[in-house]
Amino acid sequence: MKAFTYERAQTAAEAAAAAARNENAKFVAGGTNLLDLMKLEIETPAHLIDVNRLALDRVEATPEGGLRIGALVRNTDLAADERVRRDYAVLSRALVAGASPQLRNQATTAGNLLQRTRCPYFYDTNMPCNKRKPGSGCSAIGGFTRHHAILGTSEACIATHPSDMAVAMRALDASVETVRGDGSKRVIPIADFHRLPGNTPHVESALERGELITAVTLPKPVGGRHFYHKVRDRASYAFALVSVAAIVQPDGSGRVALGGVAHKPWRVEAAEPEMPRGSKAVAAGLLANARTTEDNAFKLPLAERTLASLLAEAKA
Amino acid sequence: MSDFNPTRRNFLQAGAATGGFIASGHVLPVGAAGPSQPTASPAAASPQYDVRLRVNGSEHHLILDPRTTLLDALRERLRLTGPKKGCDQGQCGACTVIVNGRRTTSCLTLAVMHDGDEVTTIEGLGTPRNLHPMQAAFVKHDGYQCGFCTCGQICSAVAMLDEVKAGIPSHVTADLTQAPQLTDEEIRERMSGNICRCGAYSNIHEAIVEVAGERR
């Protein structure tokens, strides 16, 4: 690990200002992804700003009837929150489908959104990777791509976003609240928060330098039955090959988002009116323009069939 | 016969003591700099930081390079070699300790982030003469072969039972609105963050079932 200096932030605005002043600074909260990457020297911050003591660790009701989830709420606590289990079950389900209990005890809401891809070529510092070293090339293209993206890819990157939580938040129309280095605040819809790789796969979110996530808000509950089906190589503690977050209403209408298939949680609102007609009808729009490789072409039928099993369960 | 008897444990302890001496020789007195203020250290390129930890009921004041993981602080500085460095990536669970009541992979967190925190390692759960019920159950059910993962397994299992008691759901909890039941499936899922390469899982499972049964 490269040497770094360390400070403990007292307020969110102070943390953002400190990060904006120092382009080599990083925030650390749970640290479960950042420290792993620092040990491998994929992340080499010269300064760490510890945000763990900030008062952002509560889940509160909003005046609009939704929930405001503090950036530091641990994944375990969010999954166990009584209101989340009752009204946003897709989010609880997605959270407990991810990582291990130990990691969920440490990992935070904001950190989960900002975790980086598990593309093995991103992790292998001997290999070119446009995300790790912009302009160096993509080793995954033409490499072993069983886990890689099939939607929204570019010539520069075919990595996926690894989060389960973010997929549920996309289905729930969450918003990300931030504070910037100059103290100003803004709200970013989750749909605009994560970026597709394009020519700049190293730019993964809409956040500016120094900008700190303070909360994620959920609109008021939409009812319906909530599902998160995750298909992976092991029964537990593995990243998704494909995951499906869905909310299905009694009349068969609803919404659906996919994980494990793109550089961001994948949702196509225009495909959702097809929900009552079944998975094949939805998949036609949801998976349109997919670009697969020999290794990961299985993800197309897998996504459609996972949605089919989920819709069957919703009817039962 | 030589007096030199390099057992693994003695070797580790000697190394830890030497490391502690070198570091403590170059720091300012406690209180000279505020908490988390760096102090210059000629021995290292990296600044050093004050960290106070309450470990197994005892207060410790350490002066640490901020790169020191909680695991390394426990093993190399406090000589608590129960938590093991298996993968050093948070995947195997051998380093699991209980921080402020919660099981944590100590390899994936920095010691400096835990100033003021309460840490329990296997050494704090029980002693050879007065085993924690989970330790006794692992012995009774032969819940190990090589033993490398055992300290993490036991810390994890103890905290896992508390998580169930607190109503925290898991991936296999059927009804999120009901208190989770400690079924075999729940135990397997909830212990999935602790890998045993010897494959002692069935005996580990039996040990946990026994302790959970006593608690019910």
Side-chain angles (χ1 to χ4, degrees):
Chain A
M1 208 186 295
K2 297 277 190 201
F4 57 86
T5 50
Y6 169 89
E7 74 176 288
R8 214 169 275 142
Q10 303 302 320
T11 70
E14 260 177 50
R21 277 195 301 272
N22 184 347
E23 68 173 326
N24 296 315
K26 283 255 173 204
F27 300 119
V28 65
T32 54
N33 189 210
L34 180 61
L35 289 179
D36 195 21
L37 295 169
M38 284 170 66
K39 288 179 185 183
L40 296 164
E41 299 188 358
I42 294 167
E43 295 273 14
T44 54
H47 185 63
L48 274 192
I49 302 167
D50 182 349
V51 295
N52 280 295
R53 311 287 164 116
L54 304 183
L56 300 172
D57 59 349
R58 296 183 57 185
V59 182
E60 297 164 322
T62 64
E64 294 78 27
L67 285 183
R68 185 171 187 276
I69 304 158
L72 292 171
V73 174
R74 309 286 153 172
N75 288 178
T76 297
D77 296 317
L78 186 55
D81 186 278
E82 196 187 340
R83 295 158 293 187
V84 176
R85 282 189 283 154
R86 186 187 62 221
D87 298 329
Y88 305 95
V90 65
L91 181 54
S92 274
R93 289 282 179 211
L95 282 160
V96 295
S100 71
Q102 287 97 318
L103 296 178
R104 294 195 294 270
N105 281 344
Q106 291 161 257
T108 63
T109 304
N112 190 315
L113 286 177
L114 293 173
Q115 65 179 307
R116 308 203 64 191
T117 186
R118 265 52 173 205
C119 171
Y121 302 103
F122 173 69
Y123 266 76
D124 184 346
T125 51
N126 294 308
M127 303 287 280
C129 170
N130 286 321
K131 193 181 272 300
R132 178 164 30 76
K133 194 176 175 203
S136 63
C138 174
S139 303
I141 295 173
F144 182 68
T145 54
R146 184 165 174 272
H147 285 265
H148 288 79
I150 56 172
L151 291 157
T153 57
S154 74
E155 296 305 315
C157 182
I158 58 171
T160 57
H161 195 271
S163 173
D164 293 297
M165 181 195 81
V167 181
M169 286 179 171
R170 181 70 179 89
L172 289 166
D173 283 327
S175 300
V176 181
E177 295 185 1
T178 70
V179 59
R180 287 184 278 203
D182 62 3
S184 63
K185 296 176 180 179
R186 66 168 171 158
V187 177
I188 307 167
I190 189 92
D192 303 330
F193 184 80
H194 294 106
R195 297 178 71 259
L196 288 176
N199 293 323
T200 54
H202 59 290
V203 183
E204 295 171 349
S205 76
L207 294 180
E208 297 167 7
R209 198 175 101 194
E211 191 168 9
L212 177 74
I213 298 173
T214 52
V216 173
T217 53
L218 303 178
K220 68 179 184 193
V222 294
R225 292 186 67 185
H226 290 217
F227 300 92
Y228 189 78
H229 284 198
K230 181 175 180 178
V231 185
R232 45 185 162 175
D233 285 334
R234 295 191 295 257
S236 182
Y237 199 11
F239 289 99
L241 291 166
V242 165
S243 68
V244 181
I247 301 171
V248 186
Q249 301 297 341
D251 64 0
S253 67
R255 23 171 115 176
V256 58
L258 302 178
V261 295
H263 201 255
K264 59 189 287 187
W266 194 258
R267 183 174 172 195
V268 178
E269 277 88 341
E272 291 173 1
E274 300 294 329
M275 289 271 288
R277 279 179 284 282
S279 62
K280 281 196 162 55
V282 178
L286 186 59
L287 304 174
N289 303 316
R291 285 171 59 183
T292 61
T293 66
E294 199 179 329
D295 294 337
N296 67 20
F298 74 94
K299 288 190 175 189
L300 282 174
L302 185 62
E304 189 271 310
R305 289 172 194 166
T306 306
L307 178 60
S309 79
L310 183 157
L311 294 177
E313 196 181 323
K315 273 186 191 164
Chain B
M1 231 175 99
S2 164
D3 289 340
F4 181 60
N5 179 24
T7 66
R8 194 172 157 277
R9 186 162 302 246
N10 289 343
F11 179 75
L12 281 173
Q13 291 189 351
T18 310
F21 175 75
I22 290 169
S24 62
H26 295 296
V27 293
L28 297 174
V30 179
S36 88
Q37 292 301 307
T39 54
S41 168
S46 199
Q48 309 284 302
Y49 295 82
D50 283 15
V51 182
R52 283 163 201 281
L53 294 173
R54 188 170 172 83
V55 183
N56 300 331
S58 303
E59 296 287 347
H60 294 274
H61 175 216
L62 300 172
I63 312 290
L64 296 173
D65 182 311
R67 289 174 287 187
T68 312
T69 61
L70 179 59
L71 175 64
D72 284 341
L74 293 170
R75 286 181 58 85
E76 309 298 333
R77 297 294 296 276
L78 301 181
R79 305 185 200 175
L80 295 168
T81 53
K84 298 292 186 287
K85 188 177 281 191
C87 68
D88 208 22
Q89 299 180 323
Q91 293 182 5
C92 76
C95 67
T96 302
V97 299
I98 302 170
V99 179
N100 298 336
R102 297 193 150 199
R103 52 179 164 162
T104 296
T105 45
S106 58
C107 75
L108 270 194
T109 191
L110 298 170
V112 71
M113 289 158 62
H114 291 282
D115 188 51
D117 282 356
E118 176 119 22
V119 181
T120 304
T121 69
I122 188 82
E123 291 90 343
L125 281 180
T127 62
R129 288 187 178 175
N130 184 23
L131 295 177
H132 182 282
M134 191 66 77
Q135 291 172 310
F138 268 64
V139 172
K140 179 180 164 189
H141 291 278
D142 206 13
Y144 43 77
Q145 184 175 312
C146 81
F148 191 82
C149 73
T150 310
C151 300
Q153 296 275 4
I154 291 175
C155 284
S156 189
V158 167
M160 182 272 284
L161 294 182
D162 289 341
E163 288 171 5
V164 173
K165 211 168 149 191
I168 291 166
S170 86
H171 176 58
V172 299
T173 306
D175 185 347
L176 288 178
T177 62
Q178 301 292 314
Q181 302 299 307
L182 200 64
T183 61
D184 290 348
E185 197 188 10
E186 284 277 7
I187 293 175
R188 281 196 289 271
E189 164 61 23
R190 289 170 188 272
M191 291 299 292
S192 68
N194 291 82
I195 312 281
C196 170
R197 280 294 75 130
C198 301
Y201 294 114
S202 64
N203 294 357
I204 292 169
H205 185 96
E206 282 172 23
I208 296 171
V209 168
E210 177 170 305
V211 177
E214 284 170 3
R215 279 191 169 198
R216 276 183 198 137

